[in-house]
């Protein structure tokens, strides 16, 4: 695996291999090391979980992290993304982790001779988030085949929805969406349902952050209370979930909007488990790409 830029490019076997490797790292049965390897994290959009999770993974792998700050870089002098990445490759970086607001930004970088790991591109893909979600689901159920998943929220602007729809359906899960019409995406083949019609039948309720920063004029018509009533996970809906069902959310969470505040750490919630698993799945991705 030379790069990781999209879930669509991973085979089922590659997904499972990364999950299995991450689980071994989590159990401590394998002690990986990339000692002496250099990496730079280029985050052109704000991030807490993804950026810090990669940094933790890199530290645990004994990597040397090159400090890159977009605010003080030559990007502010007009340097292109390609020239920035080519510079870091030229000075000796062994891999680059990149989050960028442009969809498919990575296409121009894949022939540079250094692994590119996509930390999120616009409203396109977020492969490591999808992989950590898969790891969390696999730890819970031990399978994907036959699981029923509802992805709720801002489908149109969500790279998580795209990555997870592709990976989960490829692995045999049944995925449907629940979303306001204005945030539905006709390019996504999954059907749209009323959340109340499926809440008692699904195994996984996957909530998405309302991405206020991407809505433009639509934001003027947004009402948090109305959204929560129609599309959020309320206590009443939580009480209807089946016994083994779990709640997931890529975070950051808009409490009281996508999910009631008191449910973020409820017994069925795996939101912070997802964050924990993010470190191990990113260790697996770094090891697999850099050592390939």
């Amino acid at each position: 695996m030379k790069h990781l830029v999209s879930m669509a490019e991973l085979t089922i076997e590659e997904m499972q291999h990364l999950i299995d490797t991450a689980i071994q790292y989590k159990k401590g049965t394998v002690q990986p090391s990339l000692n002496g390897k250099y990496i730079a994290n280029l985050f052109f959009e704000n991030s807490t979980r993804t950026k810090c999770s990669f940094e933790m993974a890199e530290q645990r792998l004994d990597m040397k992290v090159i400090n890159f700050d977009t605010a003080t870089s030559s990007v502010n002098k007009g340097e292109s993304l390609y020239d920035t990445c080519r510079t870091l490759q030229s000075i000796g970086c062994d891999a680059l982790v990149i989050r960028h607001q442009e969809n498919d930004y990575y296409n121009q970088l894949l022939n540079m001779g250094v692994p590119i790991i996509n930390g999120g591109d616009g409203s396109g893909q977020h492969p490591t988030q999808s992989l950590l979600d898969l790891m969390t689901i696999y730890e819970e159920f031990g399978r994907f085949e036959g699981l029923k998943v509802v992805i709720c929220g801002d489908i149109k602007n969500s790279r998580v929805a795209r990555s997870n729809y592709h990976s989960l359906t490829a692995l045999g899960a049944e995925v449907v969406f629940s979303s306001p019409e204005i945030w539905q995406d006709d390019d996504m083949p999954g059907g749209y349902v009323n959340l109340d019609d499926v809440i008692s039948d699904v195994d996984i309720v996957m909530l998405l952050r309302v991405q206020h920063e991407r809505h433009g004029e639509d934001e003027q018509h947004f009402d948090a209370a109305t959204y929560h009533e129609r599309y959020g996970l309320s206590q009443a809906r939580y009480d209807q979930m089946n016994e083994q069902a779990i709640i997931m959310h890529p975070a950051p969470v808009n409490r009281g909007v996508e999910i009631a505040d008191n449910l973020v750490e409820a017994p069925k919630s795996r939101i912070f488990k997802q964050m924990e698993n993010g470190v191990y799945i990113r260790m697996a991705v770094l090891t697999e790409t850099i050592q390939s």
Side-chain angles (χ1 to χ4, degrees):
M1 190 175 73
K2 187 175 181 181
H3 306 284
L4 179 63
V5 295
S6 168
M7 291 301 291
E9 297 182 1
L10 290 179
T11 66
I12 292 174
E13 292 75 21
E14 286 172 326
M15 292 183 211
Q16 189 64 57
H17 174 69
L18 288 167
I19 293 167
D20 291 341
T21 301
I23 290 173
Q24 286 185 320
Y25 292 168
K26 184 176 181 178
K27 291 180 177 178
T29 56
V30 177
Q31 296 296 327
S33 177
L34 291 174
N35 187 31
K37 298 294 185 179
Y38 289 84
I39 193 161
N41 303 308
L42 294 78
F43 278 70
F44 295 88
E45 287 187 322
N46 294 337
S47 173
T48 299
R49 272 146 295 277
T50 303
K51 186 173 186 293
C52 293
S53 180
F54 265 112
E55 289 175 350
M56 181 63 74
E58 291 152 6
Q59 294 284 350
R60 291 191 178 187
L61 291 169
D62 299 320
M63 298 188 74
K64 297 181 180 180
V65 182
I66 302 300
N67 183 31
F68 181 88
D69 181 2
T70 56
T72 58
S73 74
S74 292
V75 170
N76 293 302
K77 297 178 180 179
E79 184 172 63
S80 68
L81 175 63
Y82 177 86
D83 286 344
T84 297
C85 294
R86 188 71 174 84
T87 297
L88 290 165
Q89 184 262 342
S90 296
I91 65 174
C93 283
D94 296 290
L96 303 176
V97 177
I98 305 172
R99 170 172 288 190
H100 200 277
Q101 63 272 18
E102 180 183 336
N103 283 17
D104 303 328
Y105 72 82
Y106 44 78
N107 286 335
Q108 61 184 302
L109 308 175
L110 299 181
N111 293 321
M112 287 197 321
V114 63
I116 303 297
I117 301 169
N118 183 11
D121 63 300
S123 57
Q125 288 276 328
H126 197 344
T128 58
Q129 178 68 48
S130 183
L131 285 165
L132 71 88
D133 289 346
L134 295 180
M135 177 183 174
T136 304
I137 292 168
Y138 190 73
E139 283 187 320
E140 192 75 27
F141 297 98
R143 62 183 173 89
F144 301 100
E145 187 77 32
L147 293 178
K148 296 181 179 181
V149 184
V150 60
I151 303 179
C152 313
D154 190 355
I155 307 299
K156 182 178 180 180
N157 295 293
S158 175
R159 50 199 173 209
V160 174
R162 286 173 177 77
S163 294
N164 277 341
Y165 178 81
H166 174 85
S167 57
L168 285 166
T169 54
L171 289 162
E174 177 187 339
V175 181
V176 294
F177 301 115
S178 180
S179 173
E181 185 175 356
I182 197 170
W183 294 339
Q184 294 178 9
D185 189 342
D186 294 335
D187 294 331
M188 295 281 280
Y192 286 85
V193 299
N194 185 313
L195 183 57
D196 291 318
D197 292 340
V198 300
I199 191 69
S200 62
D201 191 43
V202 296
D203 301 292
I204 299 153
V205 179
M206 186 174 291
L207 307 166
L208 302 174
R209 181 177 68 88
V210 176
Q211 300 194 40
H212 299 288
E213 71 275 14
R214 302 189 194 276
H215 293 163
E217 294 182 2
D218 296 343
E219 185 67 18
Q220 300 174 14
H221 308 289
F222 179 78
D223 180 77
T226 301
Y227 180 89
H228 182 69
E229 179 184 352
R230 295 180 181 177
Y231 303 100
L233 187 63
S234 61
Q235 183 67 55
R237 290 189 176 111
Y238 180 89
D239 292 340
Q240 294 179 57
M241 292 174 64
N242 64 50
E243 185 177 350
Q244 80 274 11
I246 62 171
I247 303 162
M248 302 180 73
H249 192 306
V253 177
N254 293 306
R255 290 174 179 253
V257 182
E258 301 105 28
I259 181 171
D261 180 57
N262 65 299
L263 298 179
V264 173
E265 296 186 75
K268 293 182 184 296
S269 174
R270 300 296 181 270
I271 295 173
F272 286 95
K273 176 61 70 65
Q274 291 171 260
M275 299 177 199
E276 177 189 2
N277 286 343
V279 174
Y280 300 105
I281 206 72
R282 287 168 176 131
M283 289 172 68
V285 167
L286 289 164
T287 305
E288 197 68 23
T289 53
I290 292 173
Q291 291 185 341
S292 65

